[in-house]
C-alpha cells in the first residue's frame, strides 16, 4: 500500500527554504527554514556529502557561489567548512542532523527526539555504509529525501 502524497502537490513548499533574492537570508540555512515555517510552508533542502562522509545541507557541488571558496565539497571535510559563512552573512553551512534538530525547535522550542522516517536516501559518491550518518534520524516523523 502506498502512502498518500497529495500534500506534495497541493502544499506550498519553500525551495531551499524561504530565502531572499538579495542574499540577506541565504538558501538552505536555518534562517531560510525558519522563515518558511513561520509562513506555514513546507521545506525543500539540498544535501551533499563531504569527503569525510558528513552530510551537509548545501546545494552546490563547490563552495564558490555561496562562500567564495573554489573547493569542491567532495574535496573537503567538516572541519574545513564548519566556520565558513554564506554570502557574507552570519549564516553557516549546517549538517543534516543539525538542520533536523533545529526544525524541531522551530515548531516546539525543543529538538526533535523522534519522528522522521527516511523514505529514500541516495548519495552516489558515498561508499557503502556512509549513510550510517543518517541512522539517528530513521525514527523521526516524516521526512522525504530523494535524489534527482
Amino acid at each position: 500500500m502506498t502512502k498518500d502524497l497529495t500534500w506534495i502537490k497541493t502544499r506550498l513548499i519553500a525551495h531551499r527554504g524561504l530565502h531572499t533574492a538579495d542574499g540577506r537570508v541565504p538558501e538552505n540555512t536555518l534562517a531560510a527554514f525558519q522563515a518558511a515555517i513561520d509562513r506555514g510552508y513546507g521545506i525543500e533542502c539540498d544535501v551533499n556529502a563531504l569527503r569525510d562522509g558528513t552530510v551537509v545541507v548545501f546545494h552546490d557541488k563547490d563552495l564558490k557561489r555561496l562562500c567564495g571558496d573554489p573547493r569542491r565539497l567532495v574535496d573537503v571535510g567538516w572541519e574545513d567548512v564548519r566556520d565558513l559563512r554564506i554570502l557574507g552573512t552570519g549564516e553557516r553551512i549546517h549538517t543534516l542532523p543539525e538542520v533536523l534538530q533545529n526544525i524541531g525547535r522551530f515548531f516546539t522550542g525543543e529538538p526533535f527526539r523522534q519522528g522522521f522516517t527516511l523514505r529514500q536516501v541516495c548519495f552516489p559518491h558515498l561508499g557503502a555504509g556512509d549513510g550510517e550518518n543518517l541512522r539517528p534520524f530513521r525514527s523521526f516523523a516524516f521526512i522525504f529525501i530523494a535524489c534527482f
Side-chain angles (χ1 to χ4, degrees):
M1 181 168 157
T2 60
K3 293 236 181 211
D4 178 11
L5 296 178
T6 305
W7 64 270
I8 207 162
K9 295 179 191 175
T10 59
R11 185 172 180 191
L12 292 176
I13 299 175
H15 182 240
R16 300 182 195 163
L18 193 57
H19 56 96
T20 59
D22 64 9
R24 287 186 294 170
V25 178
E27 65 188 53
N28 282 316
T29 61
L30 295 180
F33 301 142
Q34 178 70 62
I37 290 167
D38 288 348
R39 286 162 185 82
Y41 300 158
I43 300 168
E44 178 271 346
C45 69
D46 301 281
V47 293
N48 272 291
L50 304 177
R51 177 189 64 222
D52 60 11
T54 302
V55 179
V56 294
V57 176
F58 199 81
H59 174 268
D60 299 355
K61 299 300 181 195
D62 63 53
L63 299 161
K64 185 155 184 60
R65 179 175 66 91
L66 295 174
C67 299
D69 185 318
R71 295 178 292 175
R72 297 178 323 145
L73 295 182
V74 295
D75 296 331
V76 297
W78 177 241
E79 292 300 319
D80 300 314
V81 303
R82 71 181 312 146
D83 294 323
L84 293 178
R85 296 294 176 231
I86 299 174
L87 297 176
T89 68
E91 292 293 317
R92 66 175 181 82
I93 298 169
H94 287 278
T95 65
L96 180 58
E98 287 175 325
V99 168
L100 295 177
Q101 289 169 351
N102 277 285
I103 288 171
R105 285 187 186 96
F106 297 158
F107 283 109
T108 66
E110 305 211 0
F112 277 133
R113 285 185 266 289
Q114 298 180 351
F116 285 101
T117 301
L118 297 180
R119 300 296 182 193
Q120 179 183 3
V121 178
C122 173
F123 298 109
H125 59 283
L126 285 182
D130 285 335
E132 292 303 306
N133 293 330
L134 301 174
R135 183 172 294 284
F137 299 99
R138 291 191 188 192
S139 64
F140 271 74
F142 183 83
I143 188 168
F144 188 88
I145 299 178
C147 293
F148 301 93

